[in-house]
Amino acid sequence: MTTTPDTPDRPRSAAEVNEEIRALWLRTGGYLRPEQHRVYEKLVAEWAEATASAAASHSPAV
C-alpha cells in the first residue's frame, strides 16, 4: 500500500485508489477513527475523480 501523496507525479487510476481504500478498511478492522475517516474521505474523492476521468476518456465522440 502507498500513502496518498500531496502532489502525485501522475493521477492514480481508480483501481490503485480502490486498493488503498480496501487496505485502509482491512487495517482498521472496519472501524475508522476520525483521522482515518478524513483519509478515507480524501481517497473516495480521489477515486471518484479517477473514475470520472476514465469514463470521460472512454466515452465516444459525438
Side-chain angles (χ1 to χ4, degrees):
M1 182 195 91
T2 61
T3 304
T4 304
D6 290 331
T7 54
D9 293 340
R10 64 166 179 76
R12 296 192 295 171
S13 70
E16 290 172 307
V17 180
N18 189 42
E19 181 180 329
E20 189 166 346
I21 291 169
R22 288 176 181 267
L24 175 63
W25 280 108
L26 286 172
R27 223 178 26 255
T28 63
Y31 175 79
L32 301 176
R33 290 180 285 203
E35 177 57 33
Q36 293 164 325
H37 198 270
R38 284 187 284 279
V39 170
Y40 171 74
E41 288 175 343
K42 288 179 184 179
L43 288 169
V44 169
E46 183 182 355
W47 175 85
E49 187 175 317
T51 301
S53 293
S57 69
H58 294 308
S59 63
V62 177

